[in-house]
Amino acid sequence: MQQAKRHELGARSDKRRLVWGLLILILSGFPTLAGALEWQVYFSPQGGATDAIVQAIAGAQKSIYLQAYSFTSAPIAKALLAAHKRGVKVEAILDKSNRTAKYSAADFLLHAGIPTYIDAAHSIAHNKVMIIDEELVITGSFNFTKAAELNNAENLLLLRDRDLAARYLDNYRQHRAHSELYQGKEQPQAKKTAPADDRWLQYLFHQIFGR
């Protein structure tokens, strides 16, 4: 009888420890228990990844931080330009290959007035990341390109979590610290004869993004 009571008391004690342990995890912000992480996932080809990115950019209110290796997607470029024009802070870190191409996303972003940095500290700056409003992280294998949307087997994750976004933003700033602010190439004759910057920007857009 006494043994049964001791067993019952021991079981109750174990339950209390479990409850207190769970409570401590919740109060400390353990992500799985404190609240469900909001996420969306997309797979290409033709799985809606580009549209998801464009919609996320369109919803940005304060800031967009971009890291990209290859960036040739016309819809994403248009969305970033529109965000910049409506007052959203937009910055980009791109791979050093953008510095040597005749026309690159770096040129387009520079002439759009978006601060653009070249990360040459690595063999390849291969991150594909956007941090929006310091709460939404976009990442995955998906390059911001037409080929990634139409032809490649890729994945894209949208993760809404401020703590996670803070980690990504901290990493972004570490890369920006060793990157070089892009100053552009010598402007060709087309720029010198263009009556307005908007015309030159349109010219760059068609050269880089194709439409």
Side-chain angles (χ1 to χ4, degrees):
M1 186 69 174
Q2 290 180 350
Q3 185 176 358
K5 285 183 178 180
R6 284 197 297 269
H7 179 74
E8 183 179 352
L9 289 172
R12 288 178 182 175
S13 179
D14 289 342
K15 287 180 181 178
R16 289 194 196 99
R17 291 194 194 98
L18 178 60
V19 170
W20 279 108
L22 291 173
L23 182 60
I24 290 168
L25 286 173
I26 290 171
L27 292 176
S28 65
F30 188 66
T32 305
L33 298 171
L37 177 71
E38 292 183 37
W39 59 271
Q40 295 171 278
V41 63
Y42 298 86
F43 301 98
S44 59
Q46 303 182 53
T50 296
D51 287 343
I53 294 171
V54 168
Q55 289 176 18
I57 293 171
Q61 298 180 358
K62 296 178 181 178
S63 60
I64 301 171
Y65 297 94
L66 163 73
Q67 289 175 275
Y69 169 68
S70 182
F71 175 25
T72 59
S73 168
I76 294 174
K78 288 179 180 178
L80 287 171
L81 180 59
H84 171 68
K85 286 184 174 181
R86 69 173 184 270
V88 175
K89 178 183 179 180
V90 182
E91 278 188 15
I93 299 174
L94 303 178
D95 180 67
K96 62 181 178 290
S97 58
N98 286 268
R99 190 164 53 193
T100 55
K102 182 179 180 181
Y103 298 113
S104 72
D107 295 298
F108 174 77
L109 295 173
L110 170 68
H111 289 284
I114 295 172
T116 302
Y117 299 83
I118 300 298
D119 187 351
H122 314 281
S123 296
I124 299 175
H126 211 235
N127 284 309
K128 303 101 171 177
V129 173
M130 286 190 198
I131 308 153
I132 297 179
D133 291 340
E134 299 187 24
E135 67 174 13
L136 176 64
V137 175
I138 299 175
T139 189
S141 71
F142 189 88
N143 280 302
F144 306 128
T145 65
K146 183 178 180 180
E149 174 64 34
L150 298 180
N151 303 319
N152 300 348
E154 308 278 5
N155 68 84
L156 181 79
L157 277 168
L158 281 71
L159 305 164
R160 190 175 297 277
D161 182 88
R162 284 194 172 276
D163 291 337
L164 180 66
R167 293 287 302 275
Y168 270 87
L169 185 54
D170 181 63
N171 183 260
Y172 173 92
R173 287 169 175 158
Q174 290 179 40
H175 284 282
R176 185 180 63 189
H178 62 237
S179 297
E180 180 182 351
L181 183 65
Y182 184 64
Q183 303 291 343
K185 306 177 184 72
E186 183 179 352
Q187 298 171 354
Q189 189 66 27
K191 167 63 176 175
K192 297 175 183 177
T193 59
D197 285 342
D198 280 350
R199 180 175 168 182
W200 173 241
L201 196 60
Q202 290 173 8
Y203 173 79
L204 277 176
F205 185 91
H206 288 292
Q207 291 295 316
I208 299 161
F209 305 109
R211 58 182 176 83

